[in-house]
Amino acid sequence: MLKKLKFELNEENILKYILFILLLFLGLIIISPSTHEAQITLATTLFFITLFLLHKKTELVKLVIIFFGIIISLRYFWWRTFNTLNLDEGLLNATFSILLYLAELYSITILLLGSFISLRLLEREPIPVEKREDYPTVDVFIPTYNEPPEIVITTALAAASMDYPQEKFKVYILDDGGTAQKLNDPDPDRRRENYERAMQLKKFVEDYNGNIYYLTRERNLHAKAGNINEALKKTNGDLVLILDCDHVPAEDFLKRTVGFFNRYPKLFLVQTPHSFYNPDPIEKNLGIFKIVPSEADMFYKHIQKGLDFWSASFFCGSAAILRRKYLNEVGGIQGTTITEDAETALELHSRGYDSAYYARPMIYGLQPETFSAFVVQRTRWAQGMIQIFLLKNPLLKKGLRWYQKLSYLNANIFWFFGFARFIFLIAPVLYPILGAKIYNASLEDAMVYAIPHFIFSVMVSYYLYSKVRWNFFSEIYEAIQSIFILPAIVSVILSPRKPTFKVTPKGENLEEEFLTPFYKPVYILFHIIVISFFFSVYRWINFPDERGTVLVVLFWQIFNFFILGLGISILLEKPQRRKAFRVPSNDEAFVFTENHTFSGRVRDISLTGIWIETDQDITEYLKLIRDNHIKVMIKDLDNIAFYLDAKVVNANSKNIRAQFLKTNELVNIAKLVKVVYADSSRWEIFREELTMGPIRTSIFLTKLFFKTFSKSYTVATKEFLKEMKQIDYKSLIDYKSLLYNMVNLPFKYIKTLFSQFYFKYLKEIKVKNN
């Protein structure tokens, strides 16, 4: 008896069939053989069509531009696979030829997955809760370990002041720095510090005497995940809001997010963006904060929206609400990897539960202030995501839909950029210095296939990400990080269960300019690039037949020269004395001295200070005001006046700048926190979307290079020469031997090489932060 085939025409299967047909058509275009003339005609035609469409922002145009970019890039890669590998001219050529090919394979894969995720961005509106009794109960968790108490207190005060029925939520400080294990530390100095910090947090909770509670545990097991899971046993709210201890929530956070859980019963997560009011070390040291889109913008303004469309937006560790019932179902926050947040979301998605991403910024936190802290953070992210790929591979995970598997795959393998970027840094020096032929192609081949691939990659990136990431900034961030996280990537591949959770240092105060102590790999690579220029000139003069190859290599070298030159500028840490960042204001204020009162308007305000522009000229009173104590009266969000003690640090005829004193009462500090942080719309000034095309970005980066490089390079050179004088040159014999073995037996000695040259820099980071 014949069995009838059944085709279930639901939305998901229709999408599968359409994608299958498109992929089949795309595959035929990619593998179709053609002459150079036909290939350049195709690339030129698609280029002008794309150029015409580049400023038309519609969903159809987006699909067309992505499709054109994929055609050009995959035709390049098809040609690259079957025409350019050099496997027959010795071990050196074959090894680096394969490594460069794998780096490009990675880049093409990320391009395809990024295009898939960008197909549609989901924009959500909040779902209001009409009745008071319909508000779910919420436990707010603020995990902390060794961060300064004032950072934790600020977050707790803001959380407790959220606009939500007071009987419906509680705030918990989860202090992993006050565990019995920490309070009995064998080191007396650390034991005293831990005790004093724990007592300060406990006293704050007692003095506040409201809906803030202090929780700790016996031992520091399983880091942040273990801390949260212990708190889950001691609390019972319907929902759990998790905040990093430096992530201060706006007043409207809960009211804008809990409605999603009432509407969607299978929802386990609502994630919101992480917004930052201080620059990351790269922005700070290059002086580009608020000029260039933040590095976080691409993920929180674009990628998470794309993941949300594919039902795959994931937990980012903070600024997120989870449904307790489903969290308990998987045993709480997962702890197999050190990125417990993404791992938890993966487990819950695989059980058929849903997530949502609400893109309004409603928390404001601190980014790492130093490059060393930045590397600690990114190393943890890289190792954790690669752990998930190795131990809980999303492609093999049962319960995930095919598009969720691709979405998680993109999040996991993105962090292999450390390998790819490092290869791209060293590849262009191998031919001129060692004569390695690792890319077997003529200049004509490169013009026909490689150059169009590069141009279309830039154009597609500009179209998709121009408001959140300017061209070539990813290359800067990833190239500099790659030098330091590559050893961590290798170590987690060799031992997937070995990495341990390391807390990112926050709240550091940089009083003086200094060169980060592990600048040397960037500095040395920069000079290798410079040296390779001279070898390229030598080959240009003495090997006329190779000039096409030399020209391509020179272009690549110049690109890396600028990347590594900016890297040297990044590693000269600029001072950052201000711990609290100010927000603009136009509220009424009064200043009281012993004998006089002045009215004015607040121009900006922070938790530590205030700038008031007075209504009257105060020149004749400056001697009485400067460096003296004053009392400032401003109004809280309920339009009720309150007073803060302050000390004037600067004053002129119309302006008073003052620093708040630590003697202010807690009730007034709580009101100040609300004034600064409660209104999420006030912070939109920090999220202006700025766009710049590829050519203008190239000019901008060139100017930035010449502006920052000279001083940084001088400081680095002086430090390097000083260290060279202290070297025992007899030990260089061992390094020469190691280098010889690396070239001839790369796979056998690569781990030893990393431990000698790179792991020590990660150790320096750890020692410095401890």
Side-chain angles (χ1 to χ4, degrees):
M1 189 173 80
L2 295 175
K3 294 183 177 179
K4 293 182 179 180
L5 295 175
K6 292 184 179 180
F7 294 93
E8 203 177 329
L9 291 178
N10 57 35
E11 185 178 340
E12 183 176 334
N13 282 334
I14 290 173
L15 184 59
K16 280 184 183 179
Y17 302 143
I18 292 173
L19 284 174
F20 176 76
I21 293 169
L22 286 174
L23 289 174
L24 184 63
F25 177 62
L26 181 62
L28 292 174
I29 296 176
I30 291 164
I31 66 175
S32 297
S34 65
T35 61
H36 279 180
E37 290 76 13
Q39 170 66 15
I40 203 67
T41 300
L42 173 66
T44 304
T45 303
L46 296 186
F47 170 78
F48 282 109
I49 295 174
T50 303
L51 200 61
F52 174 74
L53 296 174
L54 210 54
H55 298 289
K56 300 180 184 299
K57 301 295 183 181
T58 69
E59 293 298 320
L60 180 60
V61 169
K62 183 202 292 185
L63 290 175
V64 170
I65 290 178
I66 288 175
F67 190 66
F68 286 175
I70 290 174
I71 288 175
I72 295 300
S73 292
L74 289 186
R75 277 188 66 81
Y76 160 76
F77 198 69
W78 182 264
W79 164 82
R80 174 83 169 87
T81 302
F82 294 103
N83 296 276
T84 64
L85 294 176
N86 186 6
L87 307 179
D88 303 323
E89 297 187 36
L91 181 62
L92 177 67
N93 287 330
T95 299
F96 285 107
S97 185
I98 291 171
L99 288 175
L100 180 59
Y101 177 79
L102 291 175
E104 289 193 69
L105 174 61
Y106 161 85
S107 298
I108 293 287
T109 303
I110 288 296
L111 172 67
L112 294 176
L113 290 172
S115 299
F116 169 75
I117 288 168
S118 299
L119 287 176
R120 184 70 179 272
L121 307 184
L122 185 58
E123 298 282 356
R124 292 185 185 267
E125 294 297 327
I127 298 172
V129 180
E130 302 294 343
K131 299 178 182 178
R132 191 178 183 92
E133 59 268 23
D134 291 338
Y135 282 106
T137 56
V138 182
D139 291 327
V140 183
F141 288 172
I142 305 173
T144 177
Y145 180 62
N146 58 1
E147 298 83 0
E150 57 268 21
I151 290 178
V152 184
I153 289 170
T154 298
T155 302
L157 287 172
S161 301
M162 285 187 288
D163 182 16
Y164 202 75
Q166 288 293 303
E167 73 278 7
K168 292 277 189 172
F169 81 107
K170 297 177 181 178
V171 178
Y172 295 92
I173 295 173
L174 312 183
D175 185 17
D176 246 13
T179 61
Q181 179 180 340
K182 286 293 181 182
L183 297 182
N184 290 285
D185 192 294
D187 184 297
D189 292 333
R190 286 203 299 264
R191 186 168 64 244
R192 185 182 65 257
E193 288 174 7
N194 295 336
Y195 177 79
E196 290 174 354
R197 180 182 176 279
M199 290 303 103
Q200 189 171 342
L201 289 175
K202 286 181 180 180
K203 185 178 187 305
F204 156 69
V205 170
E206 291 173 3
D207 291 346
Y208 184 79
N209 193 28
N211 61 336
I212 302 178
Y213 304 88
Y214 178 91
L215 292 178
T216 188
R217 52 183 176 147
E218 286 294 314
R219 300 183 62 201
N220 298 76
L221 299 175
H222 308 298
K224 181 180 176 181
N227 191 5
I228 293 172
N229 289 338
E230 184 68 21
L232 285 172
K233 299 174 185 177
K234 301 172 181 177
T235 56
N236 57 12
D238 301 321
L239 307 177
V240 176
L241 167 59
I242 297 178
L243 299 170
D244 281 352
C245 68
D246 61 293
H247 281 184
V248 184
E251 185 182 43
D252 53 352
F253 191 104
L254 290 178
K255 280 196 171 179
R256 286 182 175 272
T257 52
V258 299
F260 290 104
F261 291 95
N262 289 351
R263 174 75 60 86
Y264 305 112
K266 293 190 70 177
L267 191 71
F268 77 86
L269 168 75
V270 175
Q271 178 66 57
T272 71
H274 293 187
S275 301
F276 305 100
Y277 48 72
N278 70 315
D280 68 35
I282 294 177
E283 292 172 324
K284 171 173 65 71
N285 296 335
L286 291 181
I288 57 174
F289 184 48
K290 298 184 188 177
I291 299 172
V292 175
S294 169
E295 190 207 14
D297 282 356
M298 184 170 174
F299 181 72
Y300 287 110
K301 286 186 175 182
H302 186 97
I303 293 174
Q304 275 280 41
K305 293 179 182 179
L307 292 172
D308 197 18
F309 175 76
W310 295 112
S311 300
S313 60
F314 58 84
F315 179 31
C316 299
S318 178
I321 305 185
L322 297 101
R323 198 188 298 264
R324 179 189 294 269
K325 179 173 68 173
Y326 298 145
L327 198 55
N328 287 340
E329 197 174 298
V330 294
I333 302 296
Q334 304 298 286
T336 304
T337 71
I338 57 174
T339 46
E340 73 294 327
D341 40 19
E343 183 189 348
T344 302
L346 177 66
E347 289 298 326
L348 286 162
H349 273 132
S350 70
R351 293 185 178 228
Y353 299 124
D354 301 320
S355 63
Y357 178 68
Y358 178 54
R360 183 181 178 89
M362 295 181 294
I363 69 98
Y364 307 96
L366 283 169
Q367 299 194 87
E369 287 91 343
T370 62
F371 190 78
S372 62
F374 182 78
V375 169
V376 168
Q377 182 188 69
R378 301 313 164 91
T379 297
R380 185 180 78 239
W381 292 356
Q383 288 187 314
M385 282 300 191
I386 293 172
Q387 278 184 302
I388 291 176
F389 178 72
L390 297 174
L391 301 175
K392 297 192 171 186
N393 194 308
L395 294 179
L396 306 176
K397 190 74 173 174
K398 293 181 179 180
L400 292 180
R401 302 178 183 93
W402 64 271
Y403 43 83
Q404 290 176 315
K405 292 185 177 186
L406 291 179
S407 299
Y408 273 102
L409 179 67
N410 175 74
N412 293 161
I413 69 172
F414 165 79
W415 290 96
F416 283 101
F417 75 75
F419 159 76
R421 293 294 180 194
F422 188 76
I423 294 298
F424 293 149
L425 286 175
I426 65 172
V429 308
L430 298 173
Y431 165 71
I433 294 179
L434 300 178
K437 297 178 180 179
I438 63 175
Y439 194 100
N440 191 15
S442 65
L443 179 61
E444 185 181 7
D445 290 332
M447 294 294 291
V448 170
Y449 288 99
I451 300 301
H453 161 62
F454 173 77
I455 291 173
F456 269 87
S457 297
V458 171
M459 292 175 75
V460 172
S461 176
Y462 170 74
Y463 186 85
L464 293 178
Y465 312 123
S466 60
K467 290 185 177 181
V468 295
R469 178 69 57 84
W470 291 355
N471 290 109
F472 312 123
F473 273 88
S474 287
E475 283 77 0
I476 295 171
Y477 271 83
E478 293 173 11
I480 301 306
Q481 288 180 71
S482 71
I483 298 169
F484 301 99
I485 73 170
L486 179 58
I489 292 172
V490 173
S491 70
V492 76
I493 291 172
L494 295 175
S495 303
R497 298 184 183 277
K498 186 177 179 180
T500 56
F501 189 96
K502 293 182 177 64
V503 176
T504 304
K506 299 283 183 70
E508 296 173 291
N509 192 21
L510 305 179
E511 295 291 343
E512 304 293 338
E513 183 177 80
F514 68 94
L515 185 70
T516 187
F518 44 92
Y519 71 96
K520 288 187 285 295
V522 179
Y523 185 83
I524 291 170
L525 273 175
F526 175 80
H527 283 88
I528 291 174
I529 290 289
V530 172
I531 292 168
S532 72
F533 281 139
F534 296 101
F535 281 86
S536 294
V537 172
Y538 170 80
R539 286 187 175 275
W540 178 275
I541 296 170
N542 291 282
F543 301 93
D545 294 342
E546 298 180 5
R547 285 180 179 174
T549 304
V550 171
L551 197 61
V552 174
V553 168
L554 275 171
F555 174 79
W556 199 347
Q557 288 171 330
I558 291 169
F559 185 80
N560 284 350
F561 174 86
F562 278 93
I563 293 290
L564 291 169
L566 287 168
I568 292 173
S569 300
I570 288 166
L571 298 177
L572 181 62
E573 297 279 12
K574 299 294 191 296
Q576 181 173 291
R577 298 181 179 90
R578 178 176 288 176
K579 289 186 177 182
F581 291 80
R582 301 191 175 193
V583 293
S585 177
N586 192 34
D587 297 333
E588 185 181 24
F590 289 89
V591 174
F592 300 93
T593 67
E594 287 187 3
N595 300 309
H596 299 88
T597 301
F598 308 104
S599 63
R601 313 294 299 186
V602 179
R603 290 306 174 212
D604 67 36
I605 188 168
S606 74
L607 295 185
T608 59
I610 191 170
W611 167 24
I612 297 173
E613 183 179 332
T614 58
D615 294 329
Q616 62 268 49
D617 189 308
I618 59 172
T619 303
E620 61 180 293
Y621 305 106
L622 289 179
K623 289 184 179 179
L624 300 174
I625 294 174
R626 286 175 177 162
D627 298 321
N628 286 325
H629 287 191
I630 60 173
K631 194 176 286 287
V632 177
M633 189 198 82
I634 56 178
K635 292 182 179 179
D636 64 16
L637 297 186
D638 297 320
N639 208 33
I640 299 173
F642 69 101
Y643 299 85
L644 292 163
D645 294 325
K647 181 180 179 181
V648 176
V649 294
N650 193 7
N652 58 34
S653 60
K654 292 284 288 184
N655 298 281
I656 297 174
R657 289 177 170 84
Q659 185 175 5
F660 294 130
L661 301 177
K662 293 183 179 180
T663 54
N664 282 296
E665 295 180 7
L666 183 58
V667 63
N668 289 332
I669 294 174
K671 290 180 179 181
L672 176 63
V673 169
K674 288 189 68 173
V675 167
V676 174
Y677 290 103
D679 184 3
S680 60
S681 63
R682 174 179 273 179
W683 288 84
E684 288 301 310
I685 190 171
F686 289 104
R687 295 178 59 82
E688 294 181 45
E689 293 184 338
L690 310 168
T691 60
M692 187 180 284
I695 295 175
R696 288 180 61 203
T697 303
S698 300
I699 295 170
F700 176 84
L701 285 171
T702 303
K703 290 180 178 178
L704 188 64
F705 175 89
F706 287 110
K707 178 182 177 182
T708 62
F709 175 74
S710 178
K711 179 181 179 181
S712 304
Y713 179 76
T714 301
V715 173
T717 300
K718 288 180 180 178
E719 183 65 25
F720 186 76
L721 292 176
K722 187 193 302 181
E723 293 188 26
M724 288 288 288
K725 293 178 181 179
Q726 301 172 4
I727 291 178
D728 178 9
Y729 288 95
K730 293 181 180 179
S731 66
L732 290 179
I733 297 172
D734 298 330
Y735 287 91
K736 288 179 181 178
S737 174
L738 186 61
L739 181 62
Y740 175 84
N741 288 326
M742 182 200 72
V743 172
N744 289 278
L745 298 169
F747 298 107
K748 180 177 178 181
Y749 287 94
I750 193 166
K751 185 179 178 182
T752 306
L753 178 69
F754 283 145
S755 66
Q756 289 288 327
F757 285 99
Y758 294 109
F759 284 159
K760 66 178 181 179
Y761 298 111
L762 295 179
K763 288 178 181 177
E764 286 181 22
I765 297 170
K766 184 177 179 182
V767 169
K768 181 178 182 298
N769 290 325
N770 285 340

